[in-house]
Amino acid sequence: MALFPGDGSMAKALGVLVVLCLSACCNDNACRLNKQLNELPDQEAFSRFKALDAKDQVGVYLWELTHSKPVASRYEFLLRENAGAVAEPLLDAANRSDGYLVQASIVRSLAKLPAGSRSKLARSQLVAAVERCKRLAGDERDEVCTTYGDMLLK
């Protein structure tokens, strides 16, 4: 017995709707890239990640923090290899984040970039990122924000 009696057009329409819904689940570039990378063994995923431009690297890193691993991304250490290029988009993200764990992770990532990469960033934006971390923590003396903020601003 068919689920939808008749000529099957209703079943086809439902199938198309399901495909559209599933493809819409990943409607931005960072999501699609993250999904592709997650289907690969680690070494191949790392190699492909390194081949992405800086904006896409930061996008994948942020997508992973925001949607699956708010404390750490498996790509964080690779950002340091492209520090000069990723510093600015990472700082931009730090000034837009709306969750404490993600914000603290971004501030930590910025603090771990080589000093030469960080020195090119606007100090006022770095201070704003650290202050945002403290606001999201709900505590001006938050140990994580303060520790990484001190590293970032020295």
Side-chain angles (χ1 to χ4, degrees):
M1 180 171 166
L3 183 60
F4 297 104
D7 66 357
S9 61
M10 184 68 140
K12 288 178 187 174
L14 183 60
V16 169
L17 182 61
V18 168
V19 168
L20 288 174
C21 288
L22 290 175
S23 64
C25 292
C26 214
N27 61 1
D28 69 13
N29 193 46
C31 176
R32 283 190 296 277
L33 288 170
N34 190 64
K35 183 177 178 184
Q36 291 169 3
L37 292 170
N38 282 339
E39 293 172 355
L40 301 172
D42 281 347
Q43 291 306 317
E44 189 176 347
F46 294 156
S47 178
R48 293 246 179 115
F49 181 86
K50 289 179 188 180
L52 297 173
D53 66 38
K55 186 176 177 181
D56 285 338
Q57 286 182 350
V58 171
V60 168
Y61 167 74
L62 293 173
W63 196 95
E64 192 168 76
L65 285 178
T66 305
H67 295 91
S68 62
K69 300 173 184 171
V71 179
S73 165
R74 67 182 181 155
Y75 302 111
E76 179 181 9
F77 77 97
L78 294 172
L79 292 177
R80 289 187 289 266
E81 292 181 14
N82 196 15
V86 301
E88 188 69 37
L90 201 53
L91 180 57
D92 289 344
N95 286 309
R96 289 191 319 264
S97 174
D98 59 2
Y100 169 71
L101 291 176
V102 172
Q103 182 70 16
S105 295
I106 296 170
V107 170
R108 181 191 64 227
S109 295
L110 281 165
K112 289 183 175 184
L113 292 178
S117 311
R118 294 190 321 257
S119 67
K120 299 173 186 171
L121 299 172
R123 184 165 181 81
S124 61
Q125 288 186 332
L126 292 170
V127 170
V130 173
E131 292 304 313
R132 184 179 192 84
C133 186
K134 291 176 181 178
R135 272 194 315 277
L136 290 168
D139 182 0
E140 282 296 312
R141 295 179 310 253
D142 179 77
E143 186 176 345
V144 172
C145 299
T146 301
T147 300
Y148 289 117
D150 289 348
M151 288 172 57
L152 189 57
L153 299 171
K154 65 177 178 175

